[in-house]
Amino acid sequence: MASKRAAASTNGTAAAAAGGGHGAGTESVDADVVNKLLSDYLFVVLGAISVALVIWRVSTMMNRYIRTVTSLNNDTQRYFALQTHGVSWFKRNIQYSPIFGKRHNREFQLSQAVNVGTLPTRLQLVFLVAYFATNVAFCVISIDYTQPFRQGAAIVRNRTGVLSVVNMVPLFLFAGRNNPLIKLLGMSFDTFNLLHRWLGRIVALEAVAHTLAFLISNAKTNGWDGAFSTVFRVPYMMWGFIATVAFIAIGIQAASVFRHAFYETFKIMHILLALVSVVGLWYHLKLKDLPQIKYLYGVVVLWALDRAARFLRVAYHNFGAGGTKTLVEALPGGACRVTVTMARPWAFKPGQHAYLYMPSISFWQSHPFTVAWSEEADRPDGDKLPMDRHDVLGMRKTTFSFIIRSRTGFTGNLYNKASACVDRRMLTTCFVEGPYTGGHQMHSYGTVMLFAGGVGITQAVPHVRDLVAAYSNGTAAARKVVLVWVIQTPEHLEWIRPWMTEILAMDKRREVLRIMLFVSRPRSTKEIHSPSATVQMFPGRPNIDTLLGIEMENQVGTLGVSVCGPGALSDEVRRAVRNKQYNGNIEFVEEAFSW
């Protein structure tokens, strides 16, 4: 009888040590169930936020559509010029508000080469803090802290590991240029880029916590040498450790200081380290046969689909029909005008951007630029008549133009190479990847003010042409369009002179469009002269509050204010719009691309 009890005791001890005893098994099952529930809850949180944003998006689109249709034959639009106090308060203090003061898009620069990034808006901060807090809560909730340290550490280890893998799904989704949520939710790529960076930090922190939970627990028994020996001796642990190290390296090299100082190097290293982390995590989960590998399947699929979509965009728009043809012109003021004749037609909308690949300048990389101008013309093929829609489209050619300001790296090399050519003009090979999101359309506003600083004019010019044409055709609510462009010297006018000449010749342009040019660094007063009452030039910088106040005194319908330019200008326009919220119905659109 005693021998039976001894045998039973021995068997129970062995089972418990192996994690196979009844109590240990039950605890393991319970932990797996909790981890699965928390993973599902995290997706539910993201799904609920997405649904709320879709509802907001649909209601906003319906409101703009109704506003446009009811204003087509209404020259006063008084109903839409008014705004309720509650909505004005929300816009001023939540929707358009920086965290504090007025600083949002203006970068914190320690020197010309050292940049530590920008601040999110108040609404973005609320989401980031709430999501970060949710992850922290999910990592530590429902843990019995009175149990032995080794058991508690095992729960924390499993919990943080699971959540790190789960968060990689939105991390990779938000990083994609073809992210479907951009169009579905009406959010900019810039916003998703911000979310991507913070999700990356969350994933890295949870991976570090996952690794440390094992190391500390094991070190309490076997010492640190024993803990690391176990990591490098057991294959699945070694691959997990490699993934964690890759996450840490990404977190360091993706810091704003290094990202801005060495962007092109950062981009290559970022992709390589991301591949290392995915491969390491894949083997970590596969060798242990862990169920979380299903989330990694999703990550790989998202990455592959985005890369495939990018390749197909480039192939479709650039190959065939003789391919794309590109002219680069070096302009005064340190900028290039890049004109690309596409192989196939492309339906353009104001605010769209594209990524340019120029193998002769930077073989591996592409860079985003706003489309400043587009033209379409027929390309007749001898005496051949079009027989169907495909033939008609094949006879059209689309030309896109970009203004690229010379900085360092790719843009500096492009400008220097074009400047060295005869007549400062260069023919080269360029592949265009796009089009990407058309941004915020301005048709529903009775009054439109477009602020641009420097090369930010590329965002405003297509809107100006679009609004003037829509006014002439009676297809927009716009009755007043004001373009405010801040430049350093008058020679910057050469960047858009041919396009502006075409706009100034448009039908009914004088009835709807006024242009105000502010030259911040004129060499003499003789450079400042106003060609007409609708095209005026001023020295110095604009007083944004005064300009908004003048337009709001005779506001027609809702006032839409857009800005694209340096961070200081964007923040100043944002501040002025917030201060005018109680004076009328005014909406703010900021076009920015942080990197």
Side-chain angles (χ1 to χ4, degrees), residues 292-336:
Q292 285 74 37
I293 198 169
K294 63 184 178 183
Y295 300 121
L296 204 59
Y297 290 151
V299 167
V300 174
V301 168
L302 287 172
W303 184 86
L305 287 176
D306 182 67
R307 293 286 165 170
R310 289 166 59 177
F311 173 79
L312 291 175
R313 284 179 185 267
V314 172
Y316 178 78
H317 287 296
N318 296 273
F319 302 148
T324 58
K325 298 174 177 61
T326 305
L327 172 65
V328 181
E329 303 169 87
L331 302 174
C336 288

Side-chain angles (χ1 to χ4, degrees), residues 307-565:
R307 293 286 165 170
R310 289 166 59 177
F311 173 79
L312 291 175
R313 284 179 185 267
V314 172
Y316 178 78
H317 287 296
N318 296 273
F319 302 148
T324 58
K325 298 174 177 61
T326 305
L327 172 65
V328 181
E329 303 169 87
L331 302 174
C336 288
R337 182 164 52 228
V338 178
T339 304
V340 184
T341 302
M342 304 298 297
R344 287 187 173 86
W346 171 2
F348 172 71
K349 291 182 180 180
Q352 284 184 332
H353 68 275
Y355 290 81
L356 302 186
Y357 297 80
M358 290 189 178
S360 63
I361 306 298
S362 180
F363 185 78
W364 293 105
Q365 297 187 4
S366 60
H367 296 262
F369 300 99
T370 301
V371 181
W373 193 257
S374 69
E375 289 183 329
E376 285 198 1
D378 292 332
R379 179 169 47 193
D381 186 12
D383 296 329
K384 180 181 177 181
L385 295 176
M387 303 300 294
D388 54 26
R389 181 175 179 273
H390 179 76
D391 289 342
V392 172
L393 292 176
M395 293 176 63
R396 294 165 54 197
K397 64 177 181 178
T398 303
T399 300
F400 291 110
S401 296
F402 306 84
I403 300 295
I404 301 176
R405 187 74 184 269
S406 174
R407 303 294 184 188
T408 58
F410 172 86
T411 58
N413 293 337
L414 177 65
Y415 179 78
N416 292 335
K417 193 169 184 178
S419 298
C421 294
V422 178
D423 297 329
R424 295 164 64 88
R425 294 158 64 93
M426 175 181 70
L427 293 174
T428 188
T429 300
C430 177
F431 302 115
V432 181
E433 179 195 327
Y436 287 103
T437 178
H440 192 102
Q441 303 306 305
M442 311 298 286
H443 282 211
S444 68
Y445 301 108
T447 305
V448 178
M449 293 193 73
L450 302 164
F451 290 88
V455 78
I457 192 65
T458 56
Q459 186 269 340
V461 167
H463 281 293
V464 171
R465 181 177 64 170
D466 182 56
L467 290 169
V468 172
Y471 172 80
S472 179
N473 298 330
T475 56
R479 297 297 184 271
K480 296 168 64 179
V481 179
V482 181
L483 171 63
V484 181
W485 187 20
V486 185
I487 54 179
Q488 293 179 349
T489 65
E491 64 182 5
H492 293 174
L493 297 173
E494 294 299 324
W495 298 352
I496 63 168
R497 186 177 296 279
W499 310 328
M500 194 54 65
T501 300
E502 186 172 329
I503 288 175
L504 294 177
M506 293 178 68
D507 187 34
K508 297 183 180 181
R509 185 273 305 175
R510 292 181 180 273
E511 299 177 17
V512 64
L513 176 64
R514 286 190 296 114
I515 300 174
M516 307 175 74
L517 304 171
F518 289 84
V519 183
S520 62
R521 301 175 187 174
R523 286 170 292 200
S524 69
T525 56
K526 294 180 180 179
E527 292 183 326
I528 309 300
H529 58 90
S530 300
S532 67
T534 56
V535 181
Q536 298 177 302
M537 186 179 290
F538 307 91
R541 300 181 183 276
N543 186 314
I544 309 298
D545 289 285
T546 300
L547 295 179
L548 279 179
I550 292 173
E551 296 306 320
M552 295 190 75
E553 286 180 1
N554 301 295
Q555 180 176 337
V556 177
T558 303
L559 171 58
V561 178
S562 173
V563 61
C564 182

